[in-house]
Amino acid sequence: MNNELLTYFYNDIEVKKLDSYLPFSANSLESLALSVATSFKKNKRDIALVFSSLFEAQTFLDFISNFISKDDILFYPYDEVLRLEAVSSSKEMLKERIYSSYKALTSNNPIFITHSVAIIHEVSPKEAFLKSIKRYKVHSVIDRKELVNNLISLGYVKVNKVENVFEFSLRGEILDIFSPSSYSPYRIEFFDDEIDEIRLFDVASELSFKEVDSFEILPCHDLVLSKEEVDRGIEKIKEEVASSTYKSKLEKDEINNKISKVVF
Protein backbone atom coordinates (compact mmCIF):
# COMPACT_ATOMS: atom_id res chain seq x y z
CA MET A 1 0.00 0.00 0.00
CA ASN A 2 1.22 3.51 -0.85
CA ASN A 3 0.64 5.04 2.57
CA GLU A 4 3.58 7.45 2.26
CA LEU A 5 2.26 8.72 -1.06
CA LEU A 6 -1.05 9.71 0.55
CA THR A 7 0.67 12.12 2.95
CA TYR A 8 1.62 14.33 -0.01
CA PHE A 9 -2.08 14.99 -0.62
CA TYR A 10 -3.08 15.95 2.92
CA ASN A 11 -3.32 19.63 1.99
CA ASP A 12 -5.03 19.12 -1.34
CA ILE A 13 -8.02 21.46 -1.66
CA GLU A 14 -10.47 18.71 -2.69
CA VAL A 15 -9.29 16.44 0.12
CA LYS A 16 -9.82 19.26 2.63
CA LYS A 17 -13.37 19.71 1.32
CA LEU A 18 -14.01 16.03 1.80
CA ASP A 19 -12.55 16.25 5.31
CA SER A 20 -15.05 19.02 6.11
CA TYR A 21 -18.09 17.23 4.58
CA LEU A 22 -18.25 19.81 1.78
CA PRO A 23 -19.01 19.13 -1.90
CA PHE A 24 -15.83 18.27 -3.74
CA SER A 25 -14.87 17.26 -7.25
CA ALA A 26 -12.84 14.50 -8.88
CA ASN A 27 -12.29 14.19 -12.62
CA SER A 28 -11.87 10.41 -12.63
CA LEU A 29 -12.42 7.31 -10.53
CA GLU A 30 -8.67 7.20 -9.94
CA SER A 31 -8.56 10.72 -8.49
CA LEU A 32 -11.70 10.00 -6.44
CA ALA A 33 -10.06 6.90 -4.99
CA LEU A 34 -6.94 8.89 -4.13
CA SER A 35 -8.95 11.65 -2.41
CA VAL A 36 -11.09 9.21 -0.43
CA ALA A 37 -8.06 7.15 0.59
CA THR A 38 -6.20 10.26 1.74
CA SER A 39 -9.15 11.58 3.76
CA PHE A 40 -9.71 8.15 5.28
CA LYS A 41 -6.07 7.84 6.30
CA LYS A 42 -6.17 11.30 7.92
CA ASN A 43 -9.47 10.94 9.78
CA LYS A 44 -10.17 7.18 10.04
CA ARG A 45 -13.95 7.61 9.81
CA ASP A 46 -16.87 5.95 8.07
CA ILE A 47 -17.16 6.79 4.39
CA ALA A 48 -19.95 5.44 2.15
CA LEU A 49 -19.85 5.69 -1.63
CA VAL A 50 -22.74 4.86 -3.98
CA PHE A 51 -21.92 4.52 -7.68
CA SER A 52 -24.28 4.47 -10.64
CA SER A 53 -23.23 0.99 -11.76
CA LEU A 54 -21.62 -2.20 -10.52
CA PHE A 55 -18.78 -1.66 -13.00
CA GLU A 56 -17.93 1.76 -11.55
CA ALA A 57 -18.12 0.44 -8.00
CA GLN A 58 -15.84 -2.50 -8.85
CA THR A 59 -13.39 -0.24 -10.69
CA PHE A 60 -13.25 2.17 -7.76
CA LEU A 61 -12.72 -0.78 -5.40
CA ASP A 62 -9.74 -1.92 -7.48
CA PHE A 63 -8.21 1.56 -7.39
CA ILE A 64 -8.66 2.28 -3.69
CA SER A 65 -7.38 -1.18 -2.74
CA ASN A 66 -3.93 0.06 -3.80
CA PHE A 67 -3.95 2.48 -0.87
CA ILE A 68 -6.24 1.05 1.81
CA SER A 69 -6.13 -2.34 3.54
CA LYS A 70 -8.91 -4.70 2.47
CA ASP A 71 -9.83 -5.01 6.16
CA ASP A 72 -11.01 -1.38 6.03
CA ILE A 73 -13.07 -1.78 2.84
CA LEU A 74 -16.55 -3.25 2.55
CA PHE A 75 -18.06 -4.03 -0.83
CA TYR A 76 -21.83 -4.43 -1.25
CA PRO A 77 -22.52 -5.64 -4.83
CA TYR A 78 -25.71 -6.77 -6.52
CA ASP A 79 -25.98 -8.37 -9.96
CA GLU A 80 -27.55 -5.89 -12.35
CA VAL A 81 -28.69 -8.48 -14.93
CA LEU A 82 -31.00 -11.41 -14.22
CA ARG A 83 -29.64 -14.32 -16.22
CA LEU A 84 -28.87 -17.98 -15.70
CA GLU A 85 -25.13 -17.35 -16.03
CA ALA A 86 -25.33 -14.99 -13.05
CA VAL A 87 -26.39 -17.64 -10.54
CA SER A 88 -22.89 -18.62 -9.40
CA SER A 89 -21.59 -15.06 -9.38
CA SER A 90 -24.68 -13.95 -7.48
CA LYS A 91 -23.86 -16.42 -4.70
CA GLU A 92 -20.44 -14.79 -4.33
CA MET A 93 -22.09 -11.37 -4.38
CA LEU A 94 -24.54 -12.53 -1.72
CA LYS A 95 -21.60 -13.64 0.41
CA GLU A 96 -20.01 -10.20 -0.03
CA ARG A 97 -23.25 -8.42 0.89
CA ILE A 98 -23.85 -10.45 4.04
CA TYR A 99 -20.23 -10.12 5.14
CA SER A 100 -20.29 -6.35 4.50
CA SER A 101 -23.57 -5.95 6.39
CA TYR A 102 -22.13 -7.90 9.30
CA LYS A 103 -18.88 -5.90 9.43
CA ALA A 104 -20.65 -2.56 8.94
CA LEU A 105 -22.80 -3.29 12.00
CA THR A 106 -20.02 -4.70 14.20
CA SER A 107 -16.87 -2.80 13.15
CA ASN A 108 -15.73 0.81 13.25
CA ASN A 109 -14.73 3.16 10.46
CA PRO A 110 -15.02 1.19 7.21
CA ILE A 111 -15.13 2.47 3.65
CA PHE A 112 -18.45 1.14 2.35
CA ILE A 113 -18.71 0.80 -1.45
CA THR A 114 -21.95 -0.01 -3.27
CA HIS A 115 -24.04 0.98 -6.31
CA SER A 116 -27.57 2.09 -7.17
CA VAL A 117 -29.11 -1.33 -7.93
CA ALA A 118 -27.83 -2.77 -4.65
CA ILE A 119 -29.45 -0.17 -2.43
CA ILE A 120 -32.97 -0.46 -3.86
CA HIS A 121 -33.39 -4.03 -2.58
CA GLU A 122 -35.00 -4.70 0.77
CA VAL A 123 -32.75 -5.85 3.61
CA SER A 124 -33.30 -7.05 7.16
CA PRO A 125 -33.78 -4.56 10.00
CA LYS A 126 -30.57 -4.15 12.00
CA GLU A 127 -32.00 -5.86 15.09
CA ALA A 128 -33.27 -8.88 13.13
CA PHE A 129 -29.98 -9.35 11.30
CA LEU A 130 -27.87 -9.16 14.48
CA LYS A 131 -30.25 -11.48 16.34
CA SER A 132 -29.89 -14.13 13.62
CA ILE A 133 -26.10 -14.36 14.07
CA LYS A 134 -25.00 -17.40 16.07
CA ARG A 135 -21.69 -17.33 17.97
CA TYR A 136 -19.87 -20.36 19.35
CA LYS A 137 -16.59 -20.72 21.26
CA VAL A 138 -14.19 -23.49 22.15
CA HIS A 139 -15.49 -25.44 25.18
CA SER A 140 -19.08 -24.33 24.52
CA VAL A 141 -21.57 -27.10 25.22
CA ILE A 142 -24.26 -27.26 22.56
CA ASP A 143 -26.85 -29.64 21.17
CA ARG A 144 -25.58 -30.67 17.73
CA LYS A 145 -29.09 -31.42 16.50
CA GLU A 146 -30.16 -27.92 17.52
CA LEU A 147 -27.08 -26.47 15.78
CA VAL A 148 -27.93 -28.30 12.55
CA ASN A 149 -31.52 -27.04 12.75
CA ASN A 150 -30.19 -23.50 13.22
CA LEU A 151 -28.02 -23.89 10.12
CA ILE A 152 -30.94 -25.11 8.02
CA SER A 153 -33.21 -22.32 9.27
CA LEU A 154 -30.55 -19.76 8.28
CA GLY A 155 -30.43 -21.18 4.75
CA TYR A 156 -27.38 -23.46 4.83
CA VAL A 157 -27.39 -26.61 2.69
CA LYS A 158 -26.18 -29.96 4.02
CA VAL A 159 -23.65 -31.65 1.72
CA ASN A 160 -21.19 -34.55 1.85
CA LYS A 161 -18.18 -32.27 1.33
CA VAL A 162 -18.07 -28.52 1.93
CA GLU A 163 -16.80 -26.70 -1.16
CA ASN A 164 -18.80 -23.48 -1.31
CA VAL A 165 -20.11 -20.80 0.99
CA PHE A 166 -23.50 -21.52 2.66
CA GLU A 167 -22.75 -25.26 2.93
CA PHE A 168 -22.17 -27.55 5.90
CA SER A 169 -21.44 -31.23 6.51
CA LEU A 170 -21.59 -33.36 9.64
CA ARG A 171 -19.47 -36.49 9.95
CA GLY A 172 -19.53 -38.04 13.39
CA GLU A 173 -17.75 -35.64 15.76
CA ILE A 174 -16.72 -33.21 13.00
CA LEU A 175 -18.80 -30.33 11.64
CA ASP A 176 -17.58 -28.39 8.59
CA ILE A 177 -19.30 -25.11 7.79
CA PHE A 178 -18.62 -22.33 5.30
CA SER A 179 -20.05 -19.12 6.76
CA PRO A 180 -19.70 -15.75 4.99
CA SER A 181 -18.09 -14.50 8.23
CA SER A 182 -14.82 -16.02 6.98
CA TYR A 183 -13.01 -16.39 3.66
CA SER A 184 -12.29 -20.04 4.57
CA PRO A 185 -14.61 -22.69 6.05
CA TYR A 186 -14.52 -23.76 9.70
CA ARG A 187 -13.91 -27.28 10.99
CA ILE A 188 -15.39 -27.86 14.44
CA GLU A 189 -14.43 -30.96 16.40
CA PHE A 190 -16.68 -32.10 19.24
CA PHE A 191 -16.01 -34.13 22.34
CA ASP A 192 -19.49 -35.37 23.14
CA ASP A 193 -21.52 -32.10 23.14
CA GLU A 194 -18.54 -29.83 23.85
CA ILE A 195 -16.65 -27.95 21.16
CA ASP A 196 -13.10 -29.25 21.48
CA GLU A 197 -11.36 -27.45 18.60
CA ILE A 198 -12.17 -24.89 15.89
CA ARG A 199 -9.93 -24.60 12.85
CA LEU A 200 -9.96 -22.97 9.44
CA PHE A 201 -9.31 -25.33 6.55
CA ASP A 202 -8.50 -25.18 2.85
CA VAL A 203 -11.32 -26.31 0.56
CA ALA A 204 -9.08 -27.90 -2.07
CA SER A 205 -6.76 -29.89 0.21
CA GLU A 206 -9.16 -30.15 3.18
CA LEU A 207 -6.16 -29.50 5.43
CA SER A 208 -6.52 -27.24 8.47
CA PHE A 209 -4.16 -24.27 8.57
CA LYS A 210 -5.22 -22.09 11.52
CA GLU A 211 -6.75 -22.69 14.94
CA VAL A 212 -9.27 -20.12 16.23
CA ASP A 213 -11.12 -19.61 19.51
CA SER A 214 -14.60 -18.99 18.11
CA PHE A 215 -16.70 -18.77 14.98
CA GLU A 216 -19.85 -16.99 13.86
CA ILE A 217 -22.65 -18.26 11.67
CA LEU A 218 -24.26 -15.57 9.52
CA PRO A 219 -27.57 -15.91 7.68
CA CYS A 220 -27.62 -16.94 4.02
CA HIS A 221 -30.16 -14.35 2.90
CA ASP A 222 -30.34 -10.58 2.59
CA LEU A 223 -33.73 -10.60 4.26
CA VAL A 224 -33.91 -12.50 7.56
CA LEU A 225 -37.40 -13.58 8.58
CA SER A 226 -38.62 -14.86 11.92
CA LYS A 227 -40.52 -18.14 12.18
CA GLU A 228 -43.72 -16.19 12.77
CA GLU A 229 -43.16 -14.14 9.59
CA VAL A 230 -42.47 -17.31 7.58
CA ASP A 231 -45.63 -18.97 8.96
CA ARG A 232 -47.73 -15.92 8.09
CA GLY A 233 -46.27 -15.88 4.58
CA ILE A 234 -47.03 -19.57 4.07
CA GLU A 235 -50.62 -19.11 5.21
CA LYS A 236 -51.09 -16.20 2.78
CA ILE A 237 -49.67 -18.28 -0.08
CA LYS A 238 -52.01 -21.15 0.78
CA GLU A 239 -54.98 -18.80 0.82
CA GLU A 240 -53.99 -17.30 -2.56
CA VAL A 241 -53.51 -20.74 -4.08
CA ALA A 242 -56.84 -22.03 -2.73
CA SER A 243 -58.78 -19.05 -4.05
CA SER A 244 -56.99 -18.87 -7.43
CA THR A 245 -59.11 -19.54 -10.49
CA TYR A 246 -56.12 -19.47 -12.87
CA LYS A 247 -54.36 -22.61 -11.65
CA SER A 248 -55.32 -26.23 -12.19
CA LYS A 249 -55.65 -28.71 -9.31
CA LEU A 250 -52.34 -30.27 -10.36
CA GLU A 251 -50.57 -26.91 -10.16
CA LYS A 252 -52.12 -26.18 -6.78
CA ASP A 253 -51.06 -29.58 -5.44
CA GLU A 254 -47.51 -28.99 -6.67
CA ILE A 255 -47.32 -25.59 -4.94
CA ASN A 256 -48.74 -26.99 -1.70
CA ASN A 257 -46.24 -29.86 -1.85
CA LYS A 258 -43.36 -27.37 -2.14
CA ILE A 259 -44.76 -25.34 0.74
CA SER A 260 -44.91 -28.43 2.95
CA LYS A 261 -41.17 -28.91 2.48
CA VAL A 262 -40.26 -25.49 3.86
CA VAL A 263 -38.04 -26.02 6.90
CA PHE A 264 -37.48 -23.36 9.52
Side-chain angles (χ1 to χ4, degrees):
M1 286 178 294
N2 303 301
N3 281 331
E4 291 186 9
L5 174 64
L6 296 181
T7 61
Y8 290 101
F9 296 92
Y10 275 13
N11 293 318
D12 180 82
I13 294 176
E14 299 305 325
V15 171
K16 286 186 174 181
K17 290 179 181 177
L18 179 57
D19 292 341
S20 302
Y21 300 97
L22 297 173
F24 71 100
S25 62
N27 56 19
S28 66
L29 288 175
E30 293 95 328
S31 61
L32 176 61
L34 188 58
S35 295
V36 171
T38 303
S39 182
F40 181 79
K41 178 175 171 58
K42 285 173 64 179
N43 304 292
K44 205 66 176 179
R45 69 185 185 199
D46 295 351
I47 299 178
L49 300 107
V50 182
F51 292 90
S52 60
S53 69
L54 174 60
F55 175 77
E56 285 190 354
Q58 181 69 65
T59 303
F60 177 83
L61 173 65
D62 293 340
F63 287 142
I64 201 168
S65 296
N66 293 315
F67 304 101
I68 302 296
S69 167
K70 68 176 184 179
D71 294 332
D72 292 321
I73 302 173
L74 301 177
F75 186 42
Y76 193 89
Y78 210 104
D79 203 315
E80 294 173 327
V81 181
L82 294 177
R83 60 185 189 278
L84 291 177
E85 299 83 22
V87 172
S88 59
S89 64
S90 293
K91 180 181 283 191
E92 287 303 311
M93 289 185 184
L94 176 59
K95 175 186 176 183
E96 286 281 354
R97 291 199 301 274
I98 293 174
Y99 175 80
S100 294
S101 297
Y102 163 67
K103 297 299 287 186
L105 293 173
T106 59
S107 303
N108 294 322
N109 308 318
I111 295 177
F112 192 92
I113 302 169
T114 188
H115 57 107
S116 56
V117 169
I119 62 174
I120 65 174
H121 292 272
E122 188 174 3
V123 296
S124 302
K126 175 182 176 181
E127 296 75 15
F129 182 84
L130 291 175
K131 186 178 179 180
S132 71
I133 298 172
K134 310 298 180 184
R135 297 178 175 87
Y136 300 96
K137 298 180 180 179
V138 172
H139 303 311
S140 295
V141 177
I142 57 176
D143 184 328
R144 265 177 285 177
K145 184 177 180 180
E146 181 180 334
L147 175 56
V148 168
N149 288 336
N150 282 335
L151 290 172
I152 294 173
S153 69
L154 288 172
Y156 288 83
V157 178
K158 188 175 182 180
V159 295
N160 292 325
K161 178 184 175 183
V162 170
E163 296 179 322
N164 301 296
V165 69
F166 310 129
E167 294 179 346
F168 78 96
S169 69
L170 182 62
R171 305 183 307 279
E173 302 291 307
I174 298 176
L175 171 70
D176 290 345
I177 175 172
F178 203 155
S179 167
S181 62
S182 171
Y183 285 100
S184 297
Y186 295 103
R187 174 159 292 157
I188 300 96
E189 290 194 21
F190 289 88
F191 181 77
D192 198 12
D193 285 334
E194 180 180 339
I195 295 178
D196 191 37
E197 287 185 346
I198 305 171
R199 300 188 302 274
L200 294 171
F201 73 92
D202 178 73
V203 170
S205 67
E206 291 198 77
L207 296 177
S208 302
F209 62 85
K210 183 180 180 181
E211 193 167 333
V212 295
D213 296 325
S214 62
F215 70 101
E216 293 172 312
I217 300 174
L218 306 186
C220 301
H221 308 290
D222 292 305
L223 187 59
V224 179
L225 301 175
S226 66
K227 186 177 186 306
E228 292 72 23
E229 290 171 322
V230 172
D231 289 341
R232 286 200 300 270
I234 288 175
E235 288 305 314
K236 286 185 179 180
I237 292 174
K238 287 181 177 179
E239 291 173 4
E240 290 290 332
V241 170
S243 62
S244 174
T245 58
Y246 299 101
K247 295 186 181 297
S248 66
K249 184 179 184 303
L250 181 62
E251 289 175 314
K252 291 181 179 182
D253 289 342
E254 184 178 353
I255 293 172
N256 286 322
N257 182 52
K258 290 180 178 180
I259 292 173
S260 68
K261 294 179 180 179
V262 173
V263 178
F264 194 89

